[in-house]
Amino acid sequence: MTLFLIGYMGSGKSLIGQKLAEVLGYDYIDFDDYISQQEGLSISDIFKTKGEIYFRKAEYKYLQNVLNLNDTLVSLGGGTPCYGNNMQSLLDVDSSMTIYLKASIPTLTGRLFDERSQRPLIAHLESKAELSEFIGKHLFERAPFYEQASMTISTNGKGVDQIIEEILLQLY
Ligand code: S3P
């Protein structure tokens, strides 16, 4: 089985993904790290020096490399399912599950505010109010992609262990 974790930035894809892979004895791939390694640049530097369109093309290209890996969990970037036919490609993988980690706008705002300098799409936002407004609009555009996932887990107010337990209950 191949598992894909999807969801907005700050939804916990990396943290939950690493732990869940460990519990399942799966290989783990953080897709942002994978792109970064392949390109020899941090995600911020790819955006800065090559631009977002280049990043989206790279994301599409490298996604093909991680679609059919058995017993592997891939935590995708927040935008990965929302460009090209990426979401459909994820859904088409045999013996796979796409898991949407769903979080509310206030939860995401709280988690992302202090970390925003690492994330090129939100690094320029100066106040929590601006960030919250940005996330609200962006999530509205992206939700139709995320909502196609085979499993949706609401993460608000839940700890990592509880989220993992809920995913395991739905998987088996
Ligand atoms: C992005 C999310 C980031 C990274 C890039 C773009 C997005 O990944 O891929 O900065 O478009 O939402 P995380 O969701 O892991 O932060």
Side-chain angles (χ1 to χ4, degrees), residues 6-14 30-33 35 43-44 47 52 55-56 59 75-83 112 115 118-122 134 138 142 146:
I6 65 171
Y8 201 72
M9 293 176 271
S11 59
K13 300 180 299 286
S14 300
D30 182 297
F31 191 52
D32 280 341
D33 289 349
I35 296 174
I43 300 293
S44 293
F47 270 75
E52 182 173 356
F55 175 77
R56 296 302 170 196
E59 195 173 38
S75 289
L76 294 166
T80 315
C82 312
Y83 290 87
L112 287 169
E115 295 178 10
Q118 319 298 322
R119 290 178 159 96
L121 293 178
I122 54 172
F134 179 91
H138 209 195
R142 289 182 167 187
Y146 296 150

Side-chain angles (χ1 to χ4, degrees), residues 39-126:
E39 292 288 312
L41 285 172
S42 70
I43 300 293
S44 293
D45 284 342
I46 298 175
F47 270 75
K48 244 183 249 157
T49 60
K50 303 192 167 182
E52 182 173 356
I53 293 175
Y54 178 91
F55 175 77
R56 296 302 170 196
K57 286 186 181 164
E59 195 173 38
Y60 170 81
K61 178 174 86 178
Y62 294 124
L63 184 64
Q64 319 312 313
N65 297 355
V66 301
L67 284 178
N68 290 295
L69 305 172
N70 225 356
D71 292 347
T72 301
L73 187 154
V74 188
S75 289
L76 294 166
T80 315
C82 312
Y83 290 87
N85 61 350
N86 293 351
M87 188 66 202
Q88 196 53 50
S89 302
L90 295 172
L91 294 171
D92 286 345
V93 174
D94 282 341
S95 180
S96 74
M97 291 283 283
T98 46
I99 304 170
Y100 171 28
L101 298 180
K102 188 171 184 171
S104 68
I105 298 165
T107 299
L108 294 169
T109 305
R111 287 195 199 142
L112 287 169
F113 189 68
D114 290 335
E115 295 178 10
R116 66 198 190 288
S117 65
Q118 319 298 322
R119 290 178 159 96
L121 293 178
I122 54 172
H124 63 289
L125 301 170
E126 282 173 7

